Amino acid sequence: QVQLVESGGGSVQAGGSLRLSCAASGSSYYANCMGWFRQALGKEREHVATIDKYGRTTYADSVKGRFTISQDNAKITLYLQMNSLKPEDTAMYYCAARYDYCSSSEYGYKYWGQGTQVTVSS
């Protein structure tokens, strides 16, 4: 069983920055892939970024160059550094984990956090 808890969300103005954290417990140390997803009001949940146990990363085109996903050395905490935030980044952000190889699809991620809200005003 893997437990994930997000933190760091909040309200910022366009152009500002936030850093989201996801603390993992249980058997998450053995997870092969962790990722961030987001769901805006009235839209489906979408991939933001992933990182595997080798440090290889993927990003959605909409956040490339602005967001950075990373892990601490023990792979206990997942981070998402968000810079140059835009109003369209407003969403509930979730961290997720899976034991298989990384995928941009939400399907296959077995464990999910409760979510943290990010609101960007213009």
Side-chain angles (χ1 to χ4, degrees):
Q1 187 79 44
V2 175
Q3 296 180 12
L4 306 173
V5 180
E6 303 98 332
S7 62
S11 298
V12 298
Q13 293 182 317
S17 298
L18 284 173
R19 188 181 73 166
L20 306 184
S21 298
C22 176
S25 62
S27 57
S28 60
Y29 181 83
Y30 301 100
N32 186 60
C33 177
M34 298 189 71
W36 289 97
F37 293 78
R38 66 187 182 186
Q39 186 169 24
L41 185 64
K43 297 184 178 180
E44 296 184 346
R45 188 154 55 189
E46 65 177 358
H47 155 260
V48 175
T50 65
I51 185 167
D52 68 12
K53 65 181 181 180
Y54 304 108
R56 298 178 297 192
T57 59
T58 69
Y59 295 95
D61 288 342
S62 60
V63 307
K64 286 181 179 178
R66 300 188 298 118
F67 290 11
T68 303
I69 188 171
S70 63
Q71 293 178 314
D72 61 12
N73 290 336
K75 297 180 173 59
I76 300 301
T77 305
L78 179 72
Y79 302 98
L80 184 68
Q81 179 66 48
M82 305 185 294
N83 298 325
S84 301
L85 283 163
K86 304 175 180 179
E88 52 261 43
D89 295 318
T90 295
M92 184 72 74
Y93 284 72
Y94 301 89
C95 64
R98 60 182 287 167
Y99 293 104
D100 208 346
Y101 54 87
C102 281
S103 171
S104 61
S105 172
E106 67 174 306
Y107 300 104
Y109 287 84
K110 184 175 180 65
Y111 303 103
W112 294 83
Q114 82 289 346
T116 185
Q117 179 68 39
V118 172
T119 302
V120 184
S121 60
S122 60

